[in-house]
Amino acid sequence: MHTAAPADAALLTPARRELQATTRAFAMEEVLPVADELDPRREDIPPSLLARMAELGHFGILVDAEHGGLGLGVVEYCLVSEELARAWMSVGSIIARGNGTGCASPDPDRRAELLRASAAGRWVGAIAFSEPHAGSDLAGVECTARRDGSAWVVDGTKRWVGHALSADFLHLLARTRPPREGESRSDGLELFLVGKERGRFPDGVTGTPIDKIGYFGLTTWQLEFDGLRLPADALQDTGQEEGQGFKDSLRWLGTARVQTAARAVGLARGALEDAVAYSRRREQFGHPIADQQALRHKLADMAAAVDAARALWWHAAWLLDEGAPGGDVAASSAKLFASETAERVTSDALQIFGGNGYTTEHSVERYWRDARLTTIFEGTSEIQRKIISDALLR
């Protein structure tokens, strides 16, 4: 049984309302026009927009104030993500590549330096976990990192690495040894930090862009590692026996899944708001289509579903912030329901636009394409159902 969260009124404190309002204004006034211009051209988020996000603190929401961050929690992180995704999902996504990601250096001074750079938007990375044959099953990772003196040498392939070329680092999951007898399949996997320059890959890494049907703003890459040499301190410090880094990465999955739920709600909300506006101005048979009862009921169902999905991500985020039992399962529930809600709501919105929705003249088709992805990344809907049912039946 999940711990009960406070009512919305208690969760949405004055400080959170102010953060929400500021982010919403930025998203609608600055992000949305850029998205409407660049998404049809499949172009990346421009550096000027990333700089504005850094000014607003979006890359340091989860970084403590001592290192220049906002020192806030998962609730605020997801609140910002929903608002940004309502305008352009890639903008709501890129903040996950800051916020302390790639800062686990074994050297305390270096760790503090990286945290400050992360919070300021100067240390924005790319996540290189998945492979052609290891997506939801990350324990199946085959990319290897072997010792060569004090250095590491990496060989293998990584797929679905968004923002890889423009990143300051790659957060790499690689296998340092096979699992020992009696160990799980994930034993022997470690996290490595691959520093790089923006706009180029380091020696030993080549990349090929993946031609996607959506989620533009972040170019996604397949990377080939061929003898990439890394220093000894590229191995992320987990404070555990070598070969246990994968388990360390699992701590972030709950937060990542709630953030995906929030992004999905942002997409669904964008489609709903656009559909409401369109139904008021679009006339058929001498009346706005908003006068049609069937359409009004569809909008009502869409609005109720969006509100329910938001309540789930709020609940899960609150549990994670409180460290309360059931947070990870609640994250899976929120991710499952919100992503599938987003797919359905954006499809319904496109239907309301009729033939005009099936053009690139309106943002609704972008929400529709991007919502489809939310049921796949950060663990598919099927994986979430397995997590939830395992918790029920264990």
Side-chain angles (χ1 to χ4, degrees):
M1 181 178 293
H2 297 323
T3 304
D8 281 358
L11 276 173
L12 209 53
T13 61
R16 287 171 176 165
R17 289 184 187 276
E18 182 178 358
L19 177 64
Q20 183 185 54
T22 301
T23 308
R24 182 170 297 181
F26 168 69
M28 300 305 290
E29 295 168 11
E30 300 184 50
V31 178
L32 186 59
V34 174
D36 288 342
E37 178 187 353
L38 298 188
D39 194 89
R41 305 205 301 251
R42 302 189 174 198
E43 294 185 20
D44 282 355
I45 304 166
S48 59
L49 195 56
L50 296 176
R52 279 287 291 132
M53 295 170 68
E55 289 176 13
L56 293 167
H58 294 164
F59 291 105
I61 299 167
L62 298 175
V63 178
D64 55 54
E66 178 186 353
H67 295 101
L70 299 182
L72 301 174
V74 179
V75 168
E76 290 86 357
Y77 177 57
C78 293
L79 186 151
V80 168
S81 298
E82 178 187 326
E83 296 302 327
L84 296 177
R86 189 266 178 255
W88 202 7
M89 188 171 76
S90 55
V91 171
S93 298
I94 199 167
I95 62 173
R97 290 153 177 82
N99 278 288
T101 300
C103 296
S105 171
D107 179 353
D109 291 337
R110 176 62 172 160
R111 185 163 61 249
E113 177 188 3
L114 292 179
L115 282 169
R116 285 191 290 271
S118 180
R122 301 192 310 270
W123 186 246
V124 181
I127 310 300
F129 284 12
S130 297
E131 298 182 0
H133 303 292
S136 295
D137 181 19
L138 287 177
V141 159
E142 297 175 350
C143 181
T144 61
R146 58 179 173 82
R147 288 191 181 273
D148 184 12
S150 63
W152 294 93
V153 179
V154 179
D155 294 286
T157 302
K158 288 295 175 181
R159 189 164 171 82
W160 309 118
V161 189
H163 193 61
L165 185 62
S166 302
D168 299 299
F169 65 91
L170 305 176
H171 205 214
L172 174 70
L173 182 66
R175 183 168 291 284
T176 60
R177 61 171 175 82
R180 300 185 182 114
E181 185 176 354
E183 289 185 331
S184 70
R185 293 170 56 241
S186 64
D187 285 282
L189 291 175
E190 284 287 5
L191 293 169
F192 291 85
L193 188 63
V194 183
K196 60 179 291 296
E197 295 179 20
R198 291 186 181 183
R200 67 178 297 271
F201 292 123
D203 294 340
V205 181
T206 56
T208 304
I210 298 173
D211 190 11
K212 304 170 296 184
I213 64 172
Y215 197 31
F216 305 128
L218 288 175
T219 299
T220 304
W221 296 81
Q222 177 158 312
L223 304 181
E224 302 293 338
F225 295 80
D226 184 8
L228 170 69
R229 295 188 67 84
L230 299 175
D233 62 2
L235 178 65
Q236 298 289 273
D237 181 29
T238 64
Q240 304 179 45
E241 176 192 355
E242 185 180 308
Q244 303 300 307
F246 177 75
K247 294 182 175 64
D248 184 62
S249 71
L250 292 177
R251 296 203 311 265
W252 282 95
L253 282 179
T255 299
R257 285 169 177 160
V258 180
Q259 196 222 8
T260 299
R263 287 179 288 169
V265 170
L267 292 169
R269 200 185 90 215
L272 171 62
E273 290 172 357
D274 285 6
V276 168
Y278 184 81
S279 69
R280 285 171 169 160
R281 68 176 182 266
R282 173 66 169 174
E283 290 193 3
Q284 291 286 275
F285 309 107
H287 295 276
I289 60 174
D291 290 348
Q292 299 174 12
Q293 187 181 62
L295 186 143
R296 296 169 74 94
H297 287 182
K298 184 185 290 289
L299 289 172
D301 288 342
M302 293 160 65
V306 170
D307 286 346
R310 182 182 296 107
L312 275 177
W313 84 242
W314 271 96
H315 175 70
W318 178 81
L319 286 174
L320 292 176
D321 278 338
E322 293 294 311
D328 287 338
V329 177
S332 287
S333 294
K335 198 273 185 186
L336 170 65
F337 185 82
S339 63
E340 299 209 340
T341 292
E343 184 182 3
R344 184 173 63 255
V345 167
T346 56
S347 180
D348 285 345
L350 192 146
Q351 187 74 17
I352 289 170
F353 275 76
N356 290 327
Y358 205 67
T359 70
T360 58
E361 298 170 359
H362 301 275
S363 300
V364 68
E365 60 86 26
R366 178 171 77 244
Y367 300 131
W368 178 54
R369 285 184 285 107
D370 289 352
R372 186 63 183 86
L373 179 59
T374 65
T375 69
I376 299 172
F377 66 1
E378 303 297 354
T380 63
S381 291
E382 290 73 22
I383 290 293
Q384 307 314 317
R385 289 187 174 96
K386 181 182 187 308
I387 292 169
I388 296 164
S389 60
D390 284 351
L392 287 171
L393 298 170
R394 67 186 169 203

